[in-house]
Amino acid sequence: MTCLHSPAWTRPAAVGAVGRYPDGMTLTVENQPDQSRYALLKDGEVIGVAEYELRGDAIVFVHTEVDPEKRERGMASQLVQTALDDVRDHTELRVIATCPYVRRWLADHPEYLALQRR
């Protein structure tokens, strides 16, 4: 696993291609640590963010938003899942969700609850 402060986790990086759709649209998620957020990009344009704060051994998700004019196909859910997968796979951080959307998402996906008990 990559440590929180290792160069690999703290550089901006695409963490996952969320999907390519029949209409040609491509969604990707990038960790943008210089802005303390995961960004959802639709064909290269930022259309959503999951903002976070690093506090000791925890990553606190404080706000999630997807552009209302571009919401479709569960994009906010895909953003949150990809961000949490990245935290799980590349850090030892405990997840704290102060964002109501992330809190609800975790409640609906019990397979991710262990991230809150690290």
Side-chain angles (χ1 to χ4, degrees), residues 7-70:
W9 196 80
T10 57
R11 281 194 306 262
V15 293
V18 175
R20 184 164 190 81
Y21 294 87
D23 60 5
M25 174 184 72
T26 301
L27 290 178
T28 56
V29 175
E30 288 182 359
N31 182 13
Q32 299 177 339
D34 55 324
Q35 296 176 59
S36 298
R37 70 183 192 180
Y38 283 89
L40 176 67
L41 294 91
K42 178 180 178 182
D43 297 325
E45 174 191 2
V46 175
I47 62 163
V49 295
E51 298 172 344
Y52 61 82
E53 297 173 3
L54 298 175
R55 298 183 193 164
D57 68 345
I59 183 168
V60 182
F61 285 92
V62 295
H63 179 72
T64 303
E65 183 175 355
V66 174
D67 182 338
E69 295 180 11
K70 302 193 175 159

Side-chain angles (χ1 to χ4, degrees), residues 5 10 13 17 19 29-30 47-48 64 79 83 92 94 97 100 103-104 117-118:
H5 298 292
T10 57
V29 175
E30 288 182 359
I47 62 163
T64 303
L79 169 61
E92 295 292 332
R94 180 171 47 93
R103 223 178 9 251
R104 272 192 314 275
R117 295 187 293 268
R118 287 176 148 188

